[in-house]
């Protein structure tokens, strides 16, 4: 197996492991065993359990981006709905990974936080681009507004993971209503 | 000095230290020196630097609550504006503490995250109470919505700390507009 293919395989197994178990319960030995390699060889690819975790979170971030921006057909408002639905489905499926990241803990350090913040910035910039030229909107205000909106989407997702007492459709409705109010000029473009 | 008074004094000094320096630069020796006690005695009150940090963050959280809910006069909409202004002023004054918490790092572990989450829940519940009885609003939806709004306020605050390219009044405007859109029935109560 090539170095790249092996790394990929290990990250795949790791993503499933961190999805099913909290950080401290994930066993590097079990992952090496599943890949059919020795523990020593795994540490050849990732120097520590933490570095392995960082690689898994990087993969999960890419997956999240691909997932939430998958739908490129339809009207912008439909794409927004589809993206939000995909986002809430994603954090549902990866709830252990997600709440581990949100709650902090052994796995969360500045490197992971930077990775998350970089992902938020990519989402922010894509949405800003999607909203298009807006009359009388300063770039800094728009960027701040959209960053705030992403904070709202994350927070309702986290609240939902803790309580699971509203539907995904309700979460989508909260997020859409907030964005429409915050960027009212773009609203006309959508409907 | 009584045990309580000494603890208080140390936490005061610590809050100033963590406001002026990032976590890893804060010197326990310097804090003990400033309080006029030995390093050993400081560790009698707080068993580790991290435990000391937790106590400081607990104090900062209480300060934040007192600060943002200080204004109890005036119409609700005026109190909302005052509270938001106080919040953004607070994170400005305590920017190193705040961005340390947001970015994660050595000081941030599950205990600190729980403390932050508990503070968010207190703010959420106070705002829910402030909004009052709303027709046709389910409690779970309202709680989720307000939690989302707090996420938005935090995120625009963090974006502002990173860029400082919009005014505090702009941040207040974004937050108020979002809350009015998200809880439209309460809007009438305010204006």
């Amino acid at each position: 197996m090539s170095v790249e293919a092996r790394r990929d395989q290990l990250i795949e197994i790791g993503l499933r492991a961190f999805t099913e178990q909290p950080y401290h319960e994930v066993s590097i030995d079990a992952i090496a065993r599943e890949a059919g390699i020795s523990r020593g060889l795994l540490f050849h690819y990732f120097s520590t359990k933490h570095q392995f975790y960082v690689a898994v979170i990087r993969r999960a971030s890419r997956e999240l981006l691909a997932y939430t921006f998958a739908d490129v057909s339809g009207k912008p408002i439909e794409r927004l709905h589809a993206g939000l639905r995909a986002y809430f489905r994603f954090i549902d499926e990866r709830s252990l990974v997600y709440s581990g990241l949100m709650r902090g803990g052994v796995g969360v350090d500045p490197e992971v936080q930077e990775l998350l913040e970089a992902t938020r910035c990519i989402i922010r910039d894509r949405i800003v681009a999607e909203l298009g030229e807006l009359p009388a909107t300063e770039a800094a205000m728009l960027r701040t507004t959209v960053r705030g909106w992403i904070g709202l989407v994350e927070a309702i997702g986290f609240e939902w993971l803790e309580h699971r007492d509203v539907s995904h459709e309700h979460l989508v409705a909260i997020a859409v209503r907030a964005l429409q109010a915050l960027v009212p000029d773009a609203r006309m473009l959508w409907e």
Side-chain angles (χ1 to χ4, degrees), chain A residues 4-138:
Chain A
E4 269 319 296
R6 179 64 81 191
R7 271 184 64 96
D8 258 22
Q9 178 209 25
L10 290 167
I11 290 172
E12 262 324 304
I13 297 172
L15 184 53
R16 208 177 59 245
F18 286 109
T19 300
E20 290 166 359
Q21 295 162 299
Y23 181 90
H24 66 276
E25 284 176 22
V26 169
S27 152
I28 288 293
D29 285 330
I31 286 165
R33 208 158 42 234
E34 191 176 333
I37 63 172
S38 69
R39 179 190 169 83
L41 189 55
L42 190 145
F43 282 120
H44 173 76
Y45 291 99
F46 307 97
S47 54
T48 61
K49 179 177 178 180
H50 180 72
Q51 280 312 311
F52 181 55
Y53 176 72
V54 171
V56 166
I57 296 302
R58 185 168 291 121
R59 169 73 56 93
S61 299
R62 259 190 245 134
E63 198 186 80
L64 171 71
L65 288 173
Y67 211 57
T68 51
F69 290 95
D71 194 348
V72 292
S73 64
K75 286 191 277 185
I77 185 74
E78 290 162 0
R79 293 213 302 277
L80 179 67
H81 274 95
L84 284 164
R85 265 185 224 114
Y87 174 78
F88 295 120
R89 213 161 45 227
F90 181 86
I91 64 168
D92 189 4
E93 282 162 14
R94 302 260 183 238
S95 59
L96 266 184
V97 178
Y98 188 79
S99 51
L101 288 172
M102 291 296 118
R103 277 209 205 93
V106 273
V108 178
D109 70 347
E111 195 177 355
V112 174
Q113 292 294 340
E114 260 170 47
L115 189 54
L116 295 186
E117 195 50 31
T119 307
R120 288 185 193 109
C121 288
I122 292 171
I123 296 176
R124 183 198 65 195
D125 295 343
R126 283 199 193 179
I127 292 172
V128 167
E130 185 83 34
L131 292 173
E133 216 42 54
L134 292 173
T137 306
E138 244 194 291

Side-chain angles (χ1 to χ4, degrees), chain A residues 156-168 170-171 174:
Chain A
I156 60 178
F158 186 63
E159 186 83 11
W160 180 79
L161 283 178
E162 297 280 298
H163 299 277
R164 295 181 183 261
D165 55 2
V166 302
S167 69
H168 280 201
H170 277 123
L171 298 178
I174 294 171

